[in-house]
Amino acid sequence: EPEVTQTPSHQVTQMGQEVILRCVPISNHLYFYWYRQILGQKVEFLVSFYNNEISEKSEIFDDQFSVERPDGSNFTLKIRSTKLEDSAMYFCASRLSGASSYNEQFFGPGTRLTVL
Amino acid sequence: AQSVTQLDSHVSVSEGTPVLLRCNYSSSYSPSLFWYVQHPNKGLQLLLKYTSAATLVKGINGFEAEFKKSETSFHLTKPSAHMSDAAEYFCVVSDTGGGADGLTFGKGTHLIIQP
């Protein structure tokens, strides 16, 4: 069964460094998302991406964050200068289409980012 | 705007007894509602979804949920708990069926199964 994959599973970085989290959505899906879950807190929406541009972003998604679909398969989240509070589990998700019967989002296993 | 309230942060039941995880939602439009499960160190797996079809929705692993518009609720139930059901459960709402809006998650309910 097709699934969303994410790499790496765990990323440790120093404060101020740039990190890139990578995701491979399900191949025929058109909508892509990033969410984060700070330890002990709920999952929060960061950004959605469709047709090679950002569709919507939350207030969390500030200028330190960017997303890109550099080729036909990868979907990346870049954090330019990491802060301690960026430590969290980051989930990628994808969705087939906009039709209501297909609005299920499929989630990847997550990347745990630890900022020291 | 949309929001989700999961009424219990922790629920503990004995194996073989019924499970009830409570969820209330707020939505400006006709919502789509979901329950996701997260096992330790695993990703998020969809249990079931409501998208304006039948109000009683059956999902995987014997779970089901009933959409009650008058009560703005979408409680998750299972007749008989199994040890493997121990996990974190998230009630999730989406306002738009056709757009690209992100999902809004509840804070989660930690389900504990006593042997």
Side-chain angles (χ1 to χ4, degrees):
Chain A
E1 183 167 332
E3 58 184 16
V4 177
T5 59
Q6 291 184 244
T7 54
S9 57
H10 193 186
Q11 174 89 48
V12 181
T13 189
Q14 296 290 326
M15 189 169 57
Q17 294 296 304
E18 174 184 286
V19 295
I20 297 176
L21 309 183
R22 301 180 192 279
C23 168
V24 179
I26 295 173
S27 63
N28 61 340
H29 283 193
L30 301 177
Y31 295 83
F32 314 109
Y33 305 83
W34 283 101
Y35 294 81
R36 79 171 184 191
Q37 184 183 29
I38 295 172
L39 188 64
Q41 299 186 24
K42 66 178 179 179
V43 178
E44 300 171 291
F45 167 72
L46 291 178
V47 65
S48 59
F49 192 86
Y50 170 72
N51 200 26
N52 284 319
E53 60 183 22
I54 291 174
S55 302
E56 185 185 15
K57 57 184 180 179
S58 72
E59 58 191 24
I60 302 168
F61 193 87
D62 60 22
D63 292 343
Q64 294 292 327
F65 292 90
S66 63
V67 290
E68 192 178 31
R69 189 156 164 82
D71 52 42
S73 60
N74 289 282
F75 179 51
T76 61
L77 175 69
K78 181 192 291 185
I79 309 175
R80 288 190 183 81
S81 178
T82 51
K83 302 187 282 285
L84 294 176
E85 53 265 38
D86 293 328
S87 294
M89 181 73 89
Y90 288 82
F91 291 105
C92 174
S94 69
R95 182 168 69 149
L96 175 61
S97 80
S100 60
S101 57
Y102 297 101
N103 62 352
E104 172 187 346
Q105 293 185 24
F106 292 80
F107 284 81
T111 293
R112 181 164 296 286
L113 175 65
T114 302
V115 181
L116 302 176
Chain B
Q2 57 201 31
S3 66
V4 175
T5 302
Q6 290 185 244
L7 296 157
D8 307 291
S9 60
H10 291 79
V11 169
S12 180
V13 301
S14 297
E15 189 176 20
T17 64
V19 175
L20 170 64
L21 305 183
R22 298 182 295 166
C23 171
N24 287 100
Y25 70 91
S26 171
S27 173
S28 302
Y29 305 98
S30 296
S32 293
L33 292 158
F34 310 83
W35 277 97
Y36 281 86
V37 61
Q38 184 180 29
H39 287 93
N41 301 313
K42 299 285 187 182
L44 295 156
Q45 181 185 19
L46 181 70
L47 274 180
L48 50 79
K49 64 179 179 181
Y50 166 78
T51 54
S52 75
T55 56
L56 182 62
V57 181
K58 294 186 185 300
I60 61 172
N61 301 334
F63 284 94
E64 61 182 40
E66 186 171 8
F67 174 72
K68 292 187 176 180
K69 186 175 181 179
S70 61
E71 299 177 9
T72 59
S73 69
F74 190 58
H75 301 333
L76 181 71
T77 60
K78 182 173 180 177
S80 176
H82 191 273
M83 294 301 291
S84 61
D85 295 328
E88 192 82 13
Y89 290 79
F90 295 96
C91 183
V92 180
V93 64
S94 172
D95 257 342
T96 57
D101 290 346
L103 301 175
T104 298
F105 282 72
K107 291 186 176 181
T109 298
H110 187 62
L111 178 61
I112 301 162
I113 311 296
Q114 306 282 0

